[in-house]
Amino acid sequence: MNKVFVAIDFPPEKGGIHDYAFGLISQIPAEETIVLTNKINNAVESEQFDQKSDFQIIRKRIFSDSNKRMMIFSQLILLMQLILLKWRKNTKEIHFVNIFPVGLAGPLMKFLFRVKYFPYVHGLDVMGMVNSRLFPLLLFILKRADKVIANSQYTKSKLVELGIAESQIVIIPPGLNVNKLSADTGSEEDIRAKYDLHGKKVMITVSRLVERKGHDVTLKAVSHIVKRIPNLKYVICGDGPYKEELERLVIQYGLDSVVVFTGRTTDHELHQLYECSDLFIMPSRDIKEKGDVEGFGIVFLEANYYRLPVIAGNSGGIPDAVKDNITGYLVDPVNDEEIAMRIEQLITDEGLARTMGDNGYDWVTNHCLWSHRGQLLKQLA
């Protein structure tokens, strides 16, 4: 059965949805799969990536948000490409890894050619549009789909609140690419020296620096316990618009010698940082006025793969990624005292931390790889 995956977000560019698209598509037989994705500025990089892929990748200007005229024009290009693929490849299914506006082609292709279509919902992509005047178009796409793919139980519950039938929704969470994480990247000694981690208890957060991720509450929690754990280091990996505020909080709480900002890291350096860490933390919270929510949280699976216990905010789709009291702790993401207690507990009780880390590794390798997610996709047929 020939499948076309339409993805605005796709490698070699980086991001959560990019990884989701590639990880899931890689589980489908290459001869059954075509990816229709947007052109990117770095043509050389995209060409090199496409040549290494087993499945066919077509890059066209299928999305533009520069102005209304260009957006309409790009959607016409998308529709023309889908019609051509229907004629040439006898397309049976269209999967819209990004739902809007590209998903508008789904109902039309279904009406004209009886092609099944499946929009994918990641959380913020739908919830962030609830107050938009274009939201009725989004509902139009969702309600006419053959199935709607949600990335978590939380996302599914939000879709049900919007009037999508529960029976119409299938959950396919993000999976983990262990080949990328398992690469031989050398010793961790260099990274310990670079960030003064020798002899330290290392707590790490890996994420974009935005308000939702909870770095600010974590810093306040660290300020409560740093005197009792004088060898604690908090490594913050990533960059983003919230960095200036976080740097201000580090000064306010007197944590200059405790907190390390690495900025963006290479895969090589991130592997080393995970290897020398004792605990992963990211108490993400919902910011309802912005519709900003954590749809899942693949970084918790990454951390568990490195046998790290995790502390996670009990919000959004995170409970699908973290097994509370087994692979880590789900906490009230705005309760700095609870977060401080859990940090101290896992840093000081090495046996507990080791057990949770081992549980996390077993959970990930037995249930959360892309091969497991691919089986869910195959069941759609």
Side-chain angles (χ1 to χ4, degrees):
M1 180 179 289
N2 291 325
K3 300 177 175 64
V4 175
F5 285 82
V6 179
I8 299 171
D9 300 321
F10 197 73
E13 293 186 321
K14 299 184 182 300
I17 297 178
H18 305 69
D19 292 343
Y20 183 98
F22 183 77
L24 197 57
I25 293 166
S26 297
Q27 304 307 310
I28 305 300
E31 64 274 11
E32 298 180 6
T33 307
I34 295 174
V35 175
L36 180 55
T37 187
N38 212 35
K39 279 188 176 181
I40 63 173
N41 293 330
N42 193 331
V44 174
E45 187 179 10
S46 65
E47 185 176 346
Q48 291 174 345
F49 177 87
D50 296 353
Q51 288 175 349
K52 294 177 183 177
S53 298
D54 295 331
F55 45 82
Q56 182 181 358
I57 300 173
I58 300 172
R59 294 184 184 269
K60 299 288 183 181
R61 187 64 65 193
I62 63 170
F63 174 73
S64 174
D65 58 359
S66 57
N67 57 62
K68 187 182 295 184
R69 181 178 297 176
M70 285 303 298
M71 179 176 287
I72 293 172
F73 182 68
S74 64
Q75 294 314 292
L76 289 174
I77 293 174
L78 169 63
L79 185 59
M80 289 171 59
Q81 287 296 314
L82 290 175
I83 292 172
L84 284 172
L85 289 172
K86 171 60 182 173
W87 285 344
R88 293 175 179 174
K89 302 291 185 178
N90 192 26
T91 305
K92 300 295 184 183
E93 297 179 3
I94 304 174
H95 295 249
F96 294 95
V97 182
N98 301 92
I99 185 172
F100 197 84
V102 292
L104 286 168
L108 188 56
M109 291 296 293
K110 184 174 184 177
F111 175 75
L112 293 175
F113 303 107
R114 297 185 180 179
V115 176
K116 292 182 177 180
Y117 78 93
F118 305 89
Y120 289 62
V121 179
H122 307 277
L124 182 58
D125 51 348
V126 167
M127 301 316 299
M129 283 188 66
V130 169
N131 296 319
S132 168
R133 56 187 177 81
L134 297 175
F135 188 65
L137 287 176
L138 188 63
L139 284 181
F140 179 81
I141 298 169
L142 292 169
K143 290 186 175 181
R144 284 157 181 79
D146 290 271
K147 292 288 183 180
V148 177
I149 315 303
N151 68 342
S152 67
Q153 186 64 46
Y154 172 82
T155 302
K156 177 180 177 178
S157 70
K158 291 300 178 182
L159 288 169
V160 171
E161 289 178 13
L162 295 175
I164 309 303
E166 189 170 355
S167 60
Q168 194 183 356
I169 305 169
V170 175
I171 298 175
I172 303 181
L176 198 62
N177 180 359
V178 295
N179 293 327
K180 175 183 174 182
L181 298 178
S182 301
D184 181 13
T185 52
S187 169
E188 64 189 57
E189 288 303 310
D190 291 343
I191 211 73
R192 286 189 181 275
K194 180 177 181 178
Y195 293 119
D196 187 28
L197 303 181
H198 282 289
K200 307 293 186 181
K201 286 291 187 178
V202 180
M203 183 172 72
I204 186 171
T205 302
V206 180
S207 78
R208 191 159 182 263
L209 305 189
V210 294
E211 183 180 3
R212 171 179 98 239
K213 301 293 185 176
H215 302 85
D216 52 345
V217 185
T218 302
L219 289 172
K220 188 173 183 180
V222 170
S223 72
H224 298 325
I225 60 173
V226 68
K227 289 184 179 179
R228 295 195 294 275
I229 312 175
N231 62 338
L232 180 65
K233 274 282 186 180
Y234 179 29
V235 178
I236 298 176
C237 298
D239 204 352
Y242 209 50
K243 184 177 181 180
E244 187 175 330
E245 171 62 13
L246 296 178
E247 290 174 332
R248 186 190 68 79
L249 289 174
V250 167
I251 295 171
Q252 178 180 323
Y253 297 136
L255 300 176
D256 308 63
S257 62
V258 177
V259 178
V260 173
F261 291 96
T262 69
R264 294 181 181 179
T265 60
T266 63
D267 290 343
H268 171 93
E269 187 168 276
L270 184 58
H271 170 84
Q272 291 180 307
L273 285 167
Y274 272 132
E275 286 284 352
C276 65
S277 294
D278 300 282
L279 165 67
F280 182 90
I281 185 167
M282 194 176 81
S284 294
R285 59 187 182 266
D286 295 0
I287 303 180
K288 291 183 170 56
E289 61 271 20
K290 298 179 182 178
D292 200 1
V293 62
E294 200 75 51
F296 182 75
I298 194 70
V299 287
F300 299 113
L301 302 186
E302 285 187 0
N304 277 161
Y305 182 76
Y306 283 96
R307 299 184 186 270
L308 299 183
V310 302
I311 298 175
N314 190 4
S315 67
I318 292 174
D320 283 15
V322 178
K323 298 177 74 67
D324 192 26
N325 289 295
I326 299 174
T327 67
Y329 290 118
L330 292 173
V331 296
D332 178 346
V334 296
N335 188 332
D336 54 281
E337 292 184 358
E338 180 186 0
I339 293 169
M341 177 191 72
R342 292 306 190 189
I343 293 172
E344 189 167 9
Q345 188 175 13
L346 288 171
I347 289 294
T348 58
D349 191 335
E350 293 183 0
L352 174 64
R354 188 179 306 110
T355 297
M356 283 190 163
D358 289 343
N359 290 344
Y361 178 82
D362 292 342
W363 155 245
V364 168
T365 54
N366 291 320
H367 300 282
C368 304
L369 305 183
W370 276 120
S371 57
H372 302 125
R373 309 315 193 203
Q375 291 302 314
L376 299 175
L377 180 60
K378 292 171 186 176
Q379 292 170 16
L380 287 179

